[in-house]
Amino acid sequence: MKQGIFTITENTALTKTVYRMRLAGDTSDVTASGQFVNLLIDGFYLRRPISVCDSSEGLLTIVYKVVGKGTEKMSTMKCGDTVDILTGLGNGYDLSTAGDAPLLIGGGVGVPPMYLLAKQLIANGKSVSVILGFNTKDEIFYEEEFKALGAKVTVATADGSYGVKGFVTDAMKDTAYSYFYTCGPEPMLKAVWKSSKTSGQFSFEERMGCGFGACMGCSCKTLTGNKRICKDGPVLRKEEILWEN
């Protein structure tokens, strides 16, 4: 974990509620897709955990949804503003188990971490398929960005206004894959767990206090006991997850 000051170079609306922010700063502690960062927003006590969408030397990209006062404040920030950020948080995805044709499944704000993962897997010569799930056509973002990487992209919308009508699990039925990676809301993750045909890795979205394992506020049950989503996760393997009824 490293604390640093980043300078905003872009803060653009992708949909009515989803924004992309690019920041310049020290990204050396961002070592794996699936990790997250913790932003200190002026006027708010708790930092905001946001997944890493992309990272290169000196440039960090996050995609966030305006869901409360903290992210609403983020949406008003301008290029040149600075942000205190903790980087290198979380364990990230393990690419070594991907096989030749991995499937990436992202739902809503679970889509962004799939982007860096897809980039890394494609760079490793993998044939990557991506399923993106949204409620409606108006909420879709990053479809073209995934296609530009060379991924095979399927979009599912719950209302059928675009792509496959239904949920990501409906799109999974006709997709062949060697392994899967997923991130999204817990009901989606549970449905993917039940529908999946192979092993896989799940990145959990969870409310966090500290973001680095001190407060135990984001614990979840696994086969080996309670794990902290921020410290021991956010990525857990399919076989270790114990779902609450």
Side-chain angles (χ1 to χ4, degrees):
M1 180 182 68
K2 182 178 291 185
Q3 183 175 6
I5 303 299
F6 285 69
T7 302
I8 297 173
T9 62
E10 177 191 339
N11 196 20
T12 305
L14 302 178
T15 70
K16 289 182 179 180
T17 59
V18 175
Y19 286 73
R20 177 175 60 205
M21 181 182 287
R22 289 194 169 108
L23 306 105
D26 183 358
T27 59
S28 60
D29 263 27
V30 181
T31 58
S33 55
Q35 288 184 310
F36 65 97
V37 296
N38 234 347
L39 285 72
L40 183 62
I41 309 301
D42 287 345
F44 295 86
Y45 176 70
L46 292 177
R47 292 177 179 265
R48 263 53 185 179
I50 308 288
S51 61
V52 173
C53 177
D54 197 10
S55 178
S56 57
E57 188 173 349
L59 187 63
L60 175 72
T61 301
I62 59 174
V63 175
Y64 63 95
K65 185 175 183 179
V66 176
V67 293
K69 292 182 179 180
T71 45
E72 183 179 4
K73 176 70 176 291
M74 286 174 60
S75 71
T76 67
M77 299 173 76
K78 308 296 184 184
C79 291
D81 288 350
T82 58
V83 188
D84 183 310
I85 301 180
L86 299 178
T87 60
L89 299 173
N91 56 356
Y93 292 108
D94 178 2
L95 278 61
S96 67
T97 54
D100 294 329
L103 173 63
L104 281 54
I105 310 156
V109 291
V111 167
M114 297 292 104
Y115 181 79
L116 179 56
L117 177 60
K119 179 190 284 190
Q120 293 173 337
L121 289 169
I122 290 170
N124 289 342
K126 308 298 184 181
S127 177
V128 175
S129 297
V130 178
I131 297 175
L132 308 177
F134 302 94
N135 290 318
T136 183
K137 180 180 180 180
D138 293 339
E139 296 180 3
I140 296 171
F141 63 91
Y142 258 58
E143 177 187 7
E144 296 305 318
E145 284 82 352
F146 279 101
K147 289 181 177 178
L149 291 177
K152 292 172 284 188
V153 181
T154 302
V155 177
T157 52
D159 66 356
S161 54
Y162 186 89
V164 175
K165 181 177 181 179
F167 303 109
V168 295
T169 47
D170 295 301
M172 288 174 66
K173 294 175 183 177
D174 299 320
T175 305
Y177 52 95
S178 56
Y179 192 81
F180 71 90
Y181 301 86
T182 186
C183 182
E186 188 168 307
M188 187 203 89
L189 297 184
K190 186 180 292 188
V192 168
W193 189 89
K194 292 179 179 179
S195 301
S196 55
K197 296 175 286 189
T198 70
S199 182
Q201 296 173 37
F202 293 71
S203 180
F204 284 79
E205 300 172 355
E206 186 67 61
R207 286 185 174 273
M208 298 178 185
C210 65
F212 46 83
C215 70
M216 300 297 291
C218 59
S219 296
C220 68
K221 293 181 179 179
T222 73
L223 288 175
T224 56
N226 287 342
K227 288 192 174 183
R228 298 158 294 180
I229 291 300
C230 67
K231 181 72 173 179
D232 306 310
V235 177
L236 300 176
R237 296 181 184 273
K238 177 182 177 180
E239 292 76 15
E240 67 180 312
I241 300 169
L242 290 177
W243 296 104
E244 298 284 353
N245 293 327

